[in-house]
Short mmCIF file of all heavy atoms in Angstrom, two decimals:
data_model
loop_
_atom_site.label_atom_id
_atom_site.label_comp_id
_atom_site.label_asym_id
_atom_site.label_seq_id
_atom_site.Cartn_x
_atom_site.Cartn_y
_atom_site.Cartn_z
N GLY A 86 195.75 82.07 56.65
CA GLY A 86 195.74 82.84 55.42
C GLY A 86 195.81 84.33 55.60
O GLY A 86 195.80 85.06 54.61
N ASP A 87 195.87 84.83 56.84
CA ASP A 87 196.04 86.27 57.01
C ASP A 87 197.34 86.73 56.36
O ASP A 87 197.45 87.86 55.89
CB ASP A 87 196.05 86.63 58.50
CG ASP A 87 194.71 86.32 59.17
OD1 ASP A 87 193.71 86.14 58.44
OD2 ASP A 87 194.67 86.27 60.41
N ALA A 88 198.32 85.86 56.37
CA ALA A 88 199.58 86.07 55.67
C ALA A 88 199.91 84.74 55.01
O ALA A 88 199.44 83.69 55.46
CB ALA A 88 200.67 86.51 56.63
N PRO A 89 200.71 84.73 53.98
CA PRO A 89 201.02 83.47 53.30
C PRO A 89 201.58 82.41 54.23
O PRO A 89 202.49 82.68 55.01
CB PRO A 89 202.05 83.90 52.26
CG PRO A 89 201.77 85.34 52.00
CD PRO A 89 201.33 85.89 53.32
N ASN A 90 200.99 81.21 54.16
CA ASN A 90 201.48 80.04 54.90
C ASN A 90 201.52 80.29 56.41
O ASN A 90 202.40 79.77 57.10
CB ASN A 90 202.88 79.65 54.41
CG ASN A 90 202.88 79.25 52.96
OD1 ASN A 90 201.86 78.86 52.41
ND2 ASN A 90 204.02 79.37 52.32
N THR A 91 200.56 81.05 56.91
CA THR A 91 200.58 81.44 58.30
C THR A 91 199.25 81.14 58.98
O THR A 91 198.19 81.35 58.39
CB THR A 91 200.89 82.95 58.42
OG1 THR A 91 202.19 83.20 57.90
CG2 THR A 91 200.85 83.39 59.88
N VAL A 92 199.33 80.65 60.20
CA VAL A 92 198.16 80.50 61.05
C VAL A 92 198.31 81.50 62.19
O VAL A 92 199.40 81.71 62.70
CB VAL A 92 198.02 79.06 61.58
CG1 VAL A 92 199.21 78.64 62.42
CG2 VAL A 92 196.72 78.89 62.35
N THR A 93 197.19 82.09 62.56
CA THR A 93 197.20 83.14 63.56
C THR A 93 196.25 82.79 64.70
O THR A 93 195.19 82.20 64.47
CB THR A 93 196.75 84.47 62.93
OG1 THR A 93 197.67 84.82 61.87
CG2 THR A 93 196.77 85.60 63.95
N LEU A 94 196.65 83.13 65.90
CA LEU A 94 195.78 82.98 67.06
C LEU A 94 195.61 84.36 67.70
O LEU A 94 196.55 84.91 68.27
CB LEU A 94 196.38 82.00 68.08
CG LEU A 94 195.49 81.69 69.28
CD1 LEU A 94 194.26 80.87 68.85
CD2 LEU A 94 196.27 80.94 70.36
N GLN A 95 194.42 84.90 67.57
CA GLN A 95 194.09 86.17 68.21
C GLN A 95 193.53 85.87 69.59
O GLN A 95 192.53 85.16 69.71
CB GLN A 95 193.07 86.94 67.39
CG GLN A 95 192.64 88.26 68.01
CD GLN A 95 193.76 89.27 68.09
OE1 GLN A 95 194.51 89.45 67.14
NE2 GLN A 95 193.87 89.95 69.21
N MET A 96 194.18 86.39 70.61
CA MET A 96 193.79 86.11 71.99
C MET A 96 193.31 87.40 72.64
O MET A 96 194.10 88.34 72.79
CB MET A 96 194.97 85.52 72.76
CG MET A 96 195.56 84.28 72.10
SD MET A 96 196.86 83.51 73.09
CE MET A 96 198.12 84.78 73.01
N ASN A 97 192.06 87.43 73.02
CA ASN A 97 191.47 88.60 73.68
C ASN A 97 191.02 88.22 75.09
O ASN A 97 190.90 87.05 75.42
CB ASN A 97 190.27 89.10 72.87
CG ASN A 97 190.65 89.56 71.48
OD1 ASN A 97 191.76 90.06 71.24
ND2 ASN A 97 189.74 89.40 70.53
N SER A 98 190.79 89.24 75.88
CA SER A 98 190.31 89.04 77.26
C SER A 98 191.17 88.02 77.99
O SER A 98 190.66 87.09 78.63
CB SER A 98 188.85 88.59 77.24
OG SER A 98 188.03 89.52 76.58
N LEU A 99 192.46 88.19 77.90
CA LEU A 99 193.39 87.22 78.48
C LEU A 99 193.25 87.17 79.99
O LEU A 99 193.02 88.20 80.66
CB LEU A 99 194.81 87.55 78.07
CG LEU A 99 195.15 87.13 76.63
CD1 LEU A 99 196.36 87.89 76.11
CD2 LEU A 99 195.38 85.63 76.56
N LYS A 100 193.42 85.97 80.51
CA LYS A 100 193.32 85.72 81.94
C LYS A 100 194.66 85.22 82.47
O LYS A 100 195.51 84.74 81.71
CB LYS A 100 192.24 84.66 82.20
CG LYS A 100 190.87 85.01 81.65
CD LYS A 100 189.90 83.87 81.90
CE LYS A 100 188.50 84.20 81.36
NZ LYS A 100 187.54 83.09 81.60
N LEU A 101 194.80 85.29 83.77
CA LEU A 101 196.04 84.81 84.39
C LEU A 101 196.32 83.37 84.01
O LEU A 101 197.48 82.99 83.78
CB LEU A 101 195.94 84.94 85.91
CG LEU A 101 195.82 86.36 86.48
CD1 LEU A 101 195.62 86.29 87.99
CD2 LEU A 101 197.04 87.19 86.14
N GLU A 102 195.26 82.57 83.93
CA GLU A 102 195.43 81.15 83.64
C GLU A 102 195.77 80.85 82.19
O GLU A 102 196.00 79.69 81.83
CB GLU A 102 194.17 80.37 84.05
CG GLU A 102 192.88 80.90 83.47
CD GLU A 102 192.15 81.84 84.42
OE1 GLU A 102 192.82 82.65 85.11
OE2 GLU A 102 190.90 81.75 84.47
N ASP A 103 195.83 81.87 81.35
CA ASP A 103 196.28 81.68 79.98
C ASP A 103 197.81 81.69 79.88
O ASP A 103 198.36 81.42 78.81
CB ASP A 103 195.72 82.77 79.07
CG ASP A 103 194.21 82.68 78.92
OD1 ASP A 103 193.69 81.57 78.78
OD2 ASP A 103 193.56 83.75 78.95
N THR A 104 198.46 81.99 80.97
CA THR A 104 199.92 82.00 80.99
C THR A 104 200.46 80.61 80.68
O THR A 104 200.10 79.63 81.34
CB THR A 104 200.45 82.47 82.35
OG1 THR A 104 200.07 83.83 82.55
CG2 THR A 104 201.96 82.34 82.42
N ALA A 105 201.32 80.52 79.67
CA ALA A 105 201.85 79.24 79.23
C ALA A 105 202.82 79.48 78.08
O ALA A 105 202.89 80.59 77.53
CB ALA A 105 200.73 78.31 78.77
N VAL A 106 203.51 78.42 77.71
CA VAL A 106 204.24 78.42 76.45
C VAL A 106 203.29 77.88 75.39
O VAL A 106 202.70 76.81 75.57
CB VAL A 106 205.51 77.54 76.52
CG1 VAL A 106 206.20 77.52 75.16
CG2 VAL A 106 206.45 78.06 77.59
N TYR A 107 203.14 78.63 74.32
CA TYR A 107 202.22 78.27 73.24
C TYR A 107 203.01 77.68 72.08
O TYR A 107 204.02 78.25 71.64
CB TYR A 107 201.44 79.50 72.80
CG TYR A 107 200.34 79.87 73.77
CD1 TYR A 107 200.63 80.37 75.03
CD2 TYR A 107 199.00 79.69 73.43
CE1 TYR A 107 199.62 80.69 75.94
CE2 TYR A 107 197.98 80.01 74.31
CZ TYR A 107 198.30 80.51 75.56
OH TYR A 107 197.31 80.82 76.46
N TYR A 108 202.52 76.54 71.61
CA TYR A 108 203.19 75.82 70.53
C TYR A 108 202.30 75.73 69.31
O TYR A 108 201.11 75.39 69.41
CB TYR A 108 203.55 74.40 70.97
CG TYR A 108 204.55 74.33 72.10
CD1 TYR A 108 204.14 74.31 73.43
CD2 TYR A 108 205.92 74.29 71.82
CE1 TYR A 108 205.06 74.24 74.45
CE2 TYR A 108 206.85 74.21 72.85
CZ TYR A 108 206.41 74.19 74.16
OH TYR A 108 207.33 74.13 75.18
N CYS A 109 202.88 75.99 68.17
CA CYS A 109 202.21 75.82 66.90
C CYS A 109 202.37 74.37 66.45
O CYS A 109 203.41 73.75 66.68
CB CYS A 109 202.82 76.76 65.87
SG CYS A 109 202.17 76.63 64.22
N ASN A 110 201.34 73.82 65.81
CA ASN A 110 201.36 72.44 65.37
C ASN A 110 200.79 72.33 63.96
O ASN A 110 199.84 73.03 63.61
CB ASN A 110 200.55 71.57 66.33
CG ASN A 110 200.45 70.14 65.87
OD1 ASN A 110 199.48 69.75 65.23
ND2 ASN A 110 201.46 69.35 66.20
N ALA A 111 201.37 71.44 63.18
CA ALA A 111 200.86 71.14 61.84
C ALA A 111 200.70 69.63 61.72
O ALA A 111 201.63 68.88 62.05
CB ALA A 111 201.81 71.66 60.77
N GLN A 112 199.53 69.21 61.26
CA GLN A 112 199.26 67.78 61.13
C GLN A 112 198.73 67.46 59.74
O GLN A 112 197.89 68.17 59.20
CB GLN A 112 198.22 67.33 62.16
CG GLN A 112 198.69 67.42 63.59
CD GLN A 112 197.70 66.79 64.55
OE1 GLN A 112 196.99 65.85 64.21
NE2 GLN A 112 197.63 67.32 65.76
N ARG A 113 199.24 66.37 59.21
CA ARG A 113 198.71 65.84 57.96
C ARG A 113 198.93 64.34 57.93
O ARG A 113 200.06 63.89 58.19
CB ARG A 113 199.38 66.48 56.75
CG ARG A 113 198.76 66.09 55.41
CD ARG A 113 199.45 66.75 54.25
NE ARG A 113 200.78 66.20 54.02
CZ ARG A 113 201.56 66.54 53.01
NH1 ARG A 113 201.15 67.46 52.16
NH2 ARG A 113 202.73 66.00 52.85
N LEU A 114 197.88 63.60 57.71
CA LEU A 114 197.93 62.14 57.77
C LEU A 114 198.48 61.73 59.13
O LEU A 114 197.98 62.12 60.15
CB LEU A 114 198.78 61.62 56.60
CG LEU A 114 198.28 62.04 55.20
CD1 LEU A 114 199.22 61.55 54.11
CD2 LEU A 114 196.87 61.53 54.97
N ALA A 115 199.55 60.97 59.17
CA ALA A 115 200.08 60.50 60.45
C ALA A 115 201.25 61.34 60.95
O ALA A 115 201.85 61.01 61.98
CB ALA A 115 200.53 59.05 60.31
N ARG A 116 201.51 62.45 60.27
CA ARG A 116 202.66 63.27 60.63
C ARG A 116 202.22 64.49 61.45
O ARG A 116 201.19 65.10 61.15
CB ARG A 116 203.38 63.75 59.37
CG ARG A 116 204.02 62.63 58.56
CD ARG A 116 205.22 62.03 59.24
NE ARG A 116 205.91 61.06 58.40
CZ ARG A 116 206.96 61.33 57.65
NH1 ARG A 116 207.43 62.56 57.61
NH2 ARG A 116 207.54 60.38 56.95
N SER A 117 203.02 64.81 62.45
CA SER A 117 202.76 65.97 63.30
C SER A 117 204.06 66.73 63.50
O SER A 117 205.09 66.13 63.82
CB SER A 117 202.20 65.52 64.65
OG SER A 117 201.87 66.64 65.45
N TYR A 118 204.00 68.04 63.34
CA TYR A 118 205.18 68.87 63.46
C TYR A 118 204.91 69.98 64.47
O TYR A 118 203.79 70.47 64.57
CB TYR A 118 205.53 69.49 62.11
CG TYR A 118 205.76 68.49 61.00
CD1 TYR A 118 204.70 68.06 60.20
CD2 TYR A 118 207.02 67.95 60.77
CE1 TYR A 118 204.89 67.13 59.20
CE2 TYR A 118 207.22 67.02 59.77
CZ TYR A 118 206.16 66.61 58.98
OH TYR A 118 206.35 65.69 58.00
N TRP A 119 205.99 70.36 65.20
CA TRP A 119 205.85 71.36 66.25
C TRP A 119 206.80 72.53 66.01
O TRP A 119 207.93 72.34 65.58
CB TRP A 119 206.15 70.75 67.61
CG TRP A 119 205.15 69.72 68.01
CD1 TRP A 119 205.22 68.37 67.81
CD2 TRP A 119 203.91 69.96 68.69
NE1 TRP A 119 204.09 67.76 68.31
CE2 TRP A 119 203.28 68.70 68.86
CE3 TRP A 119 203.27 71.10 69.16
CZ2 TRP A 119 202.04 68.57 69.48
CZ3 TRP A 119 202.04 70.97 69.79
CH2 TRP A 119 201.43 69.71 69.94
N GLY A 120 206.33 73.70 66.36
CA GLY A 120 207.17 74.88 66.37
C GLY A 120 207.93 74.95 67.68
O GLY A 120 207.79 74.10 68.57
N GLN A 121 208.69 76.01 67.84
CA GLN A 121 209.61 76.13 68.96
C GLN A 121 208.96 76.62 70.24
O GLN A 121 209.58 76.57 71.29
CB GLN A 121 210.78 77.07 68.61
CG GLN A 121 210.49 78.55 68.79
CD GLN A 121 209.72 79.18 67.64
OE1 GLN A 121 209.10 78.52 66.82
NE2 GLN A 121 209.75 80.51 67.59
N GLY A 122 207.73 77.10 70.18
CA GLY A 122 207.07 77.61 71.39
C GLY A 122 207.34 79.09 71.61
O GLY A 122 208.45 79.57 71.37
N THR A 123 206.31 79.77 72.07
CA THR A 123 206.45 81.19 72.40
C THR A 123 205.75 81.45 73.73
O THR A 123 204.64 80.97 73.96
CB THR A 123 205.89 82.08 71.27
OG1 THR A 123 206.13 83.45 71.57
CG2 THR A 123 204.41 81.84 71.02
N GLN A 124 206.40 82.20 74.59
CA GLN A 124 205.89 82.42 75.94
C GLN A 124 204.82 83.51 75.95
O GLN A 124 205.02 84.60 75.42
CB GLN A 124 207.02 82.83 76.88
CG GLN A 124 206.59 83.15 78.30
CD GLN A 124 206.14 81.92 79.07
OE1 GLN A 124 206.80 80.88 79.04
NE2 GLN A 124 205.01 82.02 79.77
N VAL A 125 203.71 83.19 76.58
CA VAL A 125 202.66 84.17 76.84
C VAL A 125 202.50 84.28 78.35
O VAL A 125 202.25 83.27 79.03
CB VAL A 125 201.32 83.76 76.20
CG1 VAL A 125 200.20 84.68 76.66
CG2 VAL A 125 201.44 83.77 74.68
#
């Protein structure tokens, strides 16, 4: 809700082991949807 229809992940104190491709997911009932991934 920080912006309309948006989920936000604030990442602080990042570590080397946080390096990954991050994927957004939406779930409702038995359905699951994935975003395209963003590299961190």
